[in-house]
């Protein structure tokens, strides 16, 4: 009888340990495969110039830099050369984010965005 009790207890202990490790591994996998919204946005086209065109055919480039503490967008459009815009904290979502400085704001969206300069908005489409 003691042998059977010991075997049942050992089996229960092994089963509990296996389930616990399996649950931890599943949690680790979920965390590894489901990055935060900010991480997703940061990874998209980071470090390379992204081209956009406005409704008048004017080209704009935006380079996203996520290497620092706060993400930035570097915008070149018409007379504005390499203007740095800081990402607005909490403004990132799965397919975009908002960046601004004193005079300019860039609202990046999935396939384009909106540039606001001194209160005047211009829409842009992404160019591949």
């Amino acid at each position: 009888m003691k042998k059977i009790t010991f075997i049942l207890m050992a089996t229960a202990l092994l089963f509990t340990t296996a389930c616990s490790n399996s649950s931890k591994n599943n949690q680790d996998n979920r965390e590894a495969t489901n990055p935060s919204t900010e991480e997703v946005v940061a990874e998209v086209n980071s470090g390379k110039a992204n081209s956009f065109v406005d409704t008048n055919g004017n080209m704009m480039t935006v380079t996203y830099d996520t290497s620092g503490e706060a993400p930035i967008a570097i915008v070149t459009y018409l007379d504005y050369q390499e203007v740095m815009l800081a990402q607005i904290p909490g403004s990132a979502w799965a397919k975009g984010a908002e960046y601004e400085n004193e005079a300019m704001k860039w609202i990046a969206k999935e396939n384009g965005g909106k540039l606001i300069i001194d209160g005047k908005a211009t829409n842009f489409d992404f160019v591949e």
Side-chain angles (χ1 to χ4, degrees):
M1 185 70 163
K2 288 183 181 182
K3 225 181 219 184
I4 291 174
T5 304
F6 175 77
I7 292 172
L8 288 175
M9 289 182 71
T11 304
L13 179 62
L14 288 172
F15 179 76
T16 304
T17 303
C19 288
S20 175
N21 286 340
S22 176
S23 175
K24 183 180 182 320
N25 288 340
N26 285 341
Q27 183 177 357
D28 290 344
N29 288 340
R30 278 194 303 275
E31 289 173 0
T33 58
N34 293 325
S36 70
T37 301
E38 287 80 10
E39 290 170 333
V40 171
V41 172
E43 288 177 13
V44 175
N45 296 327
S46 181
K48 74 170 194 135
N50 298 274
S51 298
F52 298 89
V53 63
D54 69 12
T55 54
N56 295 321
N58 296 311
M59 295 297 294
M60 175 178 73
T61 59
V62 179
T63 303
Y64 300 100
D65 183 354
T66 59
S67 64
E69 206 167 292
I72 62 170
I74 303 167
V75 175
T76 298
Y77 175 65
L78 299 176
D79 294 332
Y80 300 93
Q81 299 296 312
E82 297 187 358
V83 177
M84 286 196 284
L85 308 176
Q87 186 180 70
I88 300 170
S91 73
W93 57 94
K95 297 187 179 185
E98 295 182 12
Y99 302 83
E100 70 179 355
N101 66 15
E102 311 80 45
M104 185 182 291
K105 182 174 187 176
W106 169 241
I107 303 170
K109 297 181 181 176
E110 181 178 6
N111 293 315
K114 183 187 297 186
L115 184 67
I116 303 169
I117 301 174
D118 297 325
K120 182 179 180 229
T122 305
N123 291 313
F124 288 83
D125 291 319
F126 182 71
V127 178
E128 293 187 43

